[in-house]
Amino acid sequence: GKMGVAIAESCFLRGAAVLLVRSKTSVATRYDIKQIAFETADELEGILKREVKKYDVLFQTAAVSDFTVDNKTKGKLDSKKSITLMLSPRKKIITQIKKWNPKIKLIAFKAVFNNSEKILIKEGEEKLKESNADAVVINDVSKKDRGFGADTNEVFIVTRKGSKKKIPLAKKQDVAASIIDFLVMENII
């Protein structure tokens, strides 16, 4: 999405060799950045598994589905009949990254809904443990002026080292630059 592209562009403008892995339906970058588009969580997983060994840092900004559909139907569904879908939790891609490349610096993103700053930080710390990330960027996506689809964002960063930072509401490009600045200052990337 827009935040992932903003992060990729900020890294690119600082001279990094960037591979942007983005959804086929997401916004495109304004720069000549190498990119691979995906449609499904399984495609994303395959791309990351293949590419992660080639890079030093991974910003996992994609909001990957937590579930997969169990019941597969052949043919066309009858629109006059009800259908019940069975969903099963899918393996979290983020928990596989350090297994595929133990040396990579992993920056995870966590979207939460309508939580206080204290709870945001707590959820970020839990995501650090779950994903083995070096830092987690958390944002509350319940407000229209930030998160999914918006051009602005407000985030909190928590690191494995215990440091924390709030980046106030700003354009996503500015938020991305502030995230990079903080991670460099903290010697995380």
Side-chain angles (χ1 to χ4, degrees), residues 39 63 126 136 144:
E39 283 188 291
E126 289 171 7
V136 175
K144 291 182 181 183

Side-chain angles (χ1 to χ4, degrees), residues 39-98:
E39 283 188 291
T40 68
D42 288 338
E43 285 179 16
L44 173 61
E45 183 175 1
I47 292 165
L48 291 177
K49 189 174 185 178
R50 181 181 69 242
E51 298 292 332
V52 76
K53 296 173 186 109
K54 302 173 188 174
Y55 293 89
D56 300 317
V57 178
L58 172 69
F59 287 88
Q60 176 66 36
T61 63
V64 181
S65 175
D66 291 328
F67 295 94
T68 186
V69 178
D70 276 349
N71 48 340
K72 307 281 191 230
T73 305
K74 293 182 180 178
K76 184 181 178 315
L77 297 175
D78 185 344
S79 62
K80 295 176 186 155
K81 294 181 182 178
S82 295
I83 183 169
T84 302
L85 292 177
M86 298 297 291
L87 301 175
S88 292
R90 69 174 274 111
K91 178 176 58 178
K92 295 248 184 213
I93 295 172
I94 193 83
T95 63
Q96 304 303 305
I97 301 296
K98 291 273 190 163

Side-chain angles (χ1 to χ4, degrees), residues 28 33 40 61 71 93 117 160 162 182 186:
I33 297 174
T40 68
T61 63
N71 48 340
I93 295 172
E117 289 184 15
R160 188 184 296 165
F182 176 73
E186 291 289 316

